[in-house]
Amino acid sequence: MKKRLFAFIVVIAMLMVSAGCGAKTASWGNLVIPKGGEVKIGVSSALSAGYAVYGQDMLNGVNLAIEKFGGSLKGFKVVAVGGDDQCEGAPGVTVAEQFSADPAILGVVGPMCSGSIVPAEDIYGKNHILMITPSGTAVIVTAKGFENVFRTIPNDDKQAEVGVDYLSKSLNVKTLAVVHDSSIYGQGIAEAVQTKFTAAGGKVSSFQGVTRGDTDFSAVVSSVLAGKPDAVYWGGMDAEAALLVNQLQKGGFKGIFFGPDGIKSKPSYVDASGGSAEGSYMTFGAATGASGYDEFLAAFKAKYNGDPVAYGPGSYDDAMFMLKAADAVGKVDANGNLVVDRKALVDYLRANAWVGVTGRFVFDKVGDPTVVTLTVFKVVNGEIVPQKEYKFGA
Amino acid sequence: MNGNGQLVVFLEQLLNGITVGSFYALVALGYTMVYGVLSMINFAHGDIFMVGAYIGFFTINRLTDVGLTASNPTLAIILTFLTGSLGAAVVGVTVERIAYRPLRKATRLASLISAIGASIFLEELVRLIPTIATAIINIKIGGAAILAPQTRQAILKIVGDMGGAMVKTYPGILSNDGFVIGGLFVSYSRILIVLISAVIMVVLYTLVRITKLGKAMRAVAEDKDTASLMGINVNQVITRTFFIGSALAGLAGVMVGMFYLQIKPTMGFVPGIKAFTSAVLGGIGNIPGAMIGGYVLGLAEVISILFLPAVYKDVVAFVILILVLIFKPTGILGSATSQKKM
């Protein structure tokens, strides 16, 4: 009995020591690609159902970046791998687990939606996989403090600030109704807009959540319109926005419809609304100091036979930064294998300034861009046209 | 808000409920009719509704291509409704033939599982049609493609209207306009939806009550073997029941497309479950019951918004289903015997 107890104590002690050692020499490990192998960039986005227009746009952006980079990293072929996270938490986690289990994944562009990022970043964080999202705007995305998480888009706090400023000052809206899709992203920005609009002296006539994927919003429309708002702010994505704006008009609404970056899509919002999106507004974030956008646009059009929708340019930048950083810190060892130190990759990304087609990015310690621009857009004759720019941190 | 304003909101919600209820009722009829003759739940029915929406979408785009939507929108709408419901009817009959008829003598569980399989098959088929078509037309024989690039482009454009993972958008053919009556805004499209549904339901009810086919359907519902001995072709009656039920679902699918604009391969699931709830609520197997169940469910959902947050809409619907199943499993109009009489 005594022997057993002793053995037990020894085992516990060894475990404690080994755990302590592990913490001290926290190595993130290396990406090792054997000679002749492929380097993969994971793209976690919605590739089916309602929000697939954005997801495909991201994949297109990454593929173009790989092509422009020359198709290979230190002689190793680079490919993009799409993972369908459906803009939801659970599939986002599945994709994160697949990507983390794949030893050839250099890093991940995405996930597309804050709702996927929040659970998925725990997995990417644990496995030390570099993650850059061109679209995850919820404040909480970078609030967990993971070193490997970056984003190249301003957060929703700034987006709400811009939306409220434009609504109350430029559009002179006094009464606002807020509707959201009950997602981490949609509800988050809707709450920020509600708080800021009230603080700016406006009146929020109603604040309501609906269910994603629903098609009939008529009951919500009726209760929203009962408050006689000058404008309706939508916190959510394109597919529901197109239905909501259409049903608002069917319900007799003549006011302003305003939304965040999730509705900046010509095919899946403007065209999908049956004309009702005409005259509505949205905000979209970028950074200042962009360079080479026109060449990017020409190349994109030539390759995909159409304009980027929303996050294509951002995804292009994310993949490009990832490849450039990997090119700087990666080495080919004596056996001809490609070795990239995962920690060095992240440190290099944070230590340098990056100029892309959506802006010049310097990342702070949680991975947020320090200098950003937000633009208010309006739908005019079926096209999304910029109206006013707001700069932060300049 | 004054009392009058509240009244207007209440009336508006009633109108919303009746519109949604019309969709539920149309789809619920298919569930209830099939249950009436076969005592089985056709869980692929929601997907027949989706197929109808896609066939309608395909039709209206071809009509737009030839310019009919612009020159004669009424005719285009009628043609779209016709092809949507006929197409759905054909698919419904085919599903019965392939997935249910061989299992008619098997346990009830077998056909239920087969129905779920048919549902998944239809959903995935619609989602994959463009992928499959692309693979087929890109087949190369001896290094050369069979079709010229232009032909391939043209085929892909047309096939793209038949399905795919992305959301498709109906052309906005119904106007958003309407009229105001006592502060209540009523859109024309809403009236159209409610009227068409009401007319169809009256026609169906009459059909089942007075025509020979209706009599045969009721006889089969009562007792298949005896009906067969009386000279009724049971298989034919079942086929016709599926035809009518699926046509109604297809019609509802086209209506949803025209009214809400967006369609997707998964669009049949939730309305399917809601319509099933309506059928159970009204008393499954009972035709007027399905209609009443649909309207009651639609109204319950929108009225709940006056008291509860909008996200609880589905919760309300399914709580009703559970309560009905616990306290009155035979539904509003159903009784232990009339269950099988239609």
Side-chain angles (χ1 to χ4, degrees):
Chain A
M1 192 64 209
K2 259 187 186 167
K3 252 187 194 168
R4 281 218 182 143
L5 190 68
F6 177 72
F8 182 72
I9 289 169
V10 168
V11 167
I12 293 288
M14 278 165 71
L15 277 175
M16 284 167 78
V17 169
S18 63
C21 284
K24 243 178 252 168
T25 58
S27 162
W28 282 21
N30 295 331
L31 167 82
V32 181
I33 308 287
K35 197 176 176 181
E38 284 181 342
V39 182
K40 295 180 188 165
I41 294 181
V43 183
S44 170
S45 64
L47 295 173
S48 66
Y51 318 129
V53 168
Y54 291 131
Q56 189 58 48
D57 194 40
M58 286 175 61
L59 203 51
N60 289 350
V62 172
N63 273 317
L64 184 63
I66 293 172
E67 194 182 300
K68 285 283 143 186
F69 190 74
S72 66
L73 177 67
K74 293 191 179 296
F76 290 76
K77 191 176 180 231
V78 183
V79 291
V81 187
D84 184 7
D85 66 27
Q86 293 165 36
C87 194
E88 295 286 344
V93 167
T94 310
V95 170
E97 276 163 355
Q98 277 166 5
F99 284 166
S100 302
D102 187 340
I105 292 275
L106 167 69
V108 174
V109 173
M112 176 173 128
C113 297
S114 305
S116 317
I117 297 172
V118 170
E121 66 184 343
D122 292 354
I123 293 158
Y124 291 125
K126 193 174 74 192
N127 294 295
H128 311 302
I129 309 273
L130 169 61
M131 188 202 108
I132 315 180
T133 175
S135 51
T137 51
V139 176
I140 185 176
V141 164
T142 53
K144 291 193 197 171
F146 285 111
E147 270 184 81
N148 61 310
V149 171
F150 295 82
R151 70 173 146 205
T152 51
I153 192 160
N155 69 28
D156 285 339
D157 202 45
K158 298 193 177 78
Q159 195 165 200
E161 194 175 324
V162 167
V164 166
D165 184 84
Y166 198 81
L167 276 166
S168 52
K169 292 190 184 135
S170 302
L171 299 173
N172 206 20
V173 169
K174 303 272 182 263
T175 313
L176 181 71
V178 182
V179 186
H180 62 81
D181 67 357
S182 315
S183 70
I184 288 180
Y185 163 68
Q187 186 163 358
I189 191 158
E191 279 166 1
V193 164
Q194 183 189 28
T195 315
K196 288 178 200 292
F197 192 76
T198 315
K203 183 185 159 219
V204 174
S205 63
S206 68
F207 183 86
Q208 296 188 59
V210 297
T211 314
R212 269 190 175 184
D214 216 346
T215 44
D216 183 85
F217 300 118
S218 54
V220 171
V221 163
S222 298
S223 75
V224 160
L225 297 185
K228 302 210 184 328
D230 304 325
V232 173
Y233 190 93
W234 163 247
M237 303 288 290
D238 50 348
E240 290 83 11
L243 290 163
L244 181 63
V245 73
N246 182 272
Q247 289 172 32
L248 277 165
Q249 293 187 2
K250 281 201 178 89
F253 179 63
K254 300 270 188 283
I256 295 156
F257 189 80
F258 205 111
D261 60 322
I263 71 167
K264 185 182 169 280
S265 158
K266 184 170 157 53
S268 54
Y269 169 60
V270 180
D271 297 347
S273 70
S276 304
E278 187 64 28
S280 57
Y281 294 85
M282 72 226 35
T283 46
F284 197 83
T288 40
S291 152
Y293 186 77
D294 293 341
E295 291 127 76
F296 161 80
L297 191 64
F300 194 97
K301 278 183 176 170
K303 190 169 163 73
Y304 301 112
N305 214 358
D307 285 321
V309 179
Y311 307 117
S315 307
Y316 174 90
D317 277 353
D318 296 352
M320 204 53 129
F321 300 163
M322 199 178 278
L323 286 168
K324 282 180 179 164
D327 195 44
V329 302
K331 292 177 189 72
V332 179
D333 70 9
N335 302 323
N337 303 329
L338 175 68
V339 179
V340 180
D341 184 324
R342 292 202 184 273
K343 180 84 167 87
L345 180 69
V346 164
D347 289 344
Y348 190 83
L349 206 60
R350 185 166 278 117
N352 290 280
W354 301 88
V355 178
V357 299
T358 60
R360 182 180 181 273
F361 294 93
V362 176
F363 299 105
D364 64 13
K365 66 176 193 305
V366 294
D368 268 331
T370 52
V371 182
V372 289
T373 309
L374 274 146
T375 309
V376 177
F377 289 87
K378 185 182 184 183
V379 180
V380 182
N381 297 324
E383 297 295 329
I384 298 172
V385 185
Q387 302 290 307
K388 189 178 177 186
E389 251 185 29
Y390 291 78
K391 286 182 170 45
F392 290 89
Chain B
M1 204 191 326
N2 58 28
N4 187 35
Q6 257 166 3
L7 182 69
V8 168
V9 172
F10 183 72
L11 289 176
E12 228 170 80
Q13 296 292 25
L14 280 187
L15 196 62
N16 294 334
I18 291 171
T19 317
V20 181
S22 302
F23 292 123
Y24 291 163
L26 278 179
V27 184
L29 282 170
Y31 275 108
T32 229
M33 287 169 69
V34 167
Y35 189 88
V37 295
L38 283 182
S39 301
M40 75 164 274
I41 307 293
N42 178 13
F43 271 118
H45 195 60
D47 299 279
I48 301 287
F49 156 85
M50 175 273 295
V51 167
Y54 270 88
I55 294 173
F57 177 70
F58 181 79
T59 311
I60 202 160
N61 278 357
R62 298 292 78 72
L63 294 177
T64 309
D65 286 350
V66 298
L68 188 72
T69 319
S71 62
N72 192 345
T74 317
L75 182 64
I77 290 176
I78 292 172
L79 282 177
T80 308
F81 274 126
L82 277 180
T83 48
S85 50
L86 281 180
V90 170
V91 174
V93 168
T94 314
V95 166
E96 191 271 331
R97 203 57 178 260
I98 296 173
Y100 307 150
R101 192 171 293 182
L103 294 170
R104 202 173 293 156
K105 296 260 165 10
T107 59
R108 288 173 80 173
L109 201 58
S111 48
L112 187 74
I113 292 168
S114 187
I116 294 170
S119 160
I120 296 171
F121 174 79
L122 287 176
E123 194 180 310
E124 292 298 310
L125 179 71
V126 170
R127 191 168 73 81
L128 291 173
I129 282 176
T131 319
I132 298 168
T134 313
I136 292 174
I137 64 170
N138 283 339
I139 291 174
K140 290 188 172 112
I141 296 174
I146 320 166
L147 299 166
Q150 292 93 327
T151 327
R152 267 185 286 170
Q153 284 283 331
I155 294 176
L156 279 187
K157 185 183 175 287
I158 291 177
V159 170
D161 285 348
M162 292 180 187
M166 305 263 187
V167 167
K168 301 277 175 204
T169 308
Y170 263 65
I173 195 166
L174 300 181
S175 101
N176 286 348
D177 295 341
F179 56 89
V180 178
I181 173 166
L184 178 69
F185 181 85
V186 185
S187 73
Y188 298 124
S189 49
R190 202 175 275 281
I191 293 183
L192 185 77
I193 301 286
V194 174
L195 276 185
I196 293 181
S197 316
V199 168
I200 296 275
M201 284 187 247
V202 170
V203 168
L204 180 78
Y205 186 71
T206 324
L207 186 131
V208 174
R209 281 288 120 197
I210 65 172
T211 64
K212 218 168 181 182
L213 172 64
K215 251 185 211 155
M217 280 165 71
R218 281 182 287 145
V220 171
E222 197 110 2
D223 189 330
K224 270 200 265 312
D225 297 331
T226 315
S228 167
L229 289 173
M230 298 293 143
I232 293 171
N233 184 342
V234 174
N235 274 340
Q236 196 186 53
V237 170
I238 290 172
T239 302
R240 289 185 181 173
T241 308
F242 267 89
F243 189 90
I244 297 171
S246 305
L248 294 178
L251 187 87
V254 175
M255 273 188 192
V256 163
M258 284 194 185
F259 191 70
Y260 297 116
L261 304 175
Q262 294 183 10
I263 58 170
K264 55 190 170 196
T266 51
M267 69 184 276
F269 182 70
V270 173
I273 300 277
K274 296 275 179 73
F276 171 65
T277 307
S278 310
V280 173
L281 183 61
I284 192 142
N286 185 310
I287 287 181
M291 303 180 194
I292 293 172
Y295 287 115
V296 168
L297 189 68
L299 286 170
E301 277 187 12
V302 295
I303 302 288
S304 75
I305 285 189
L306 297 175
F307 312 103
L308 289 168
V311 275
Y312 288 105
K313 202 177 80 173
D314 291 353
V315 176
V316 169
F318 297 130
V319 165
I320 290 177
L321 175 65
I322 293 169
L323 292 181
V324 169
L325 287 176
I326 293 174
F327 295 108
K328 199 168 187 317
T330 51
I332 299 173
L333 291 189
S335 63
T337 48
S338 77
Q339 234 191 84
K340 294 193 78 189
K341 281 186 192 157
M342 298 190 79

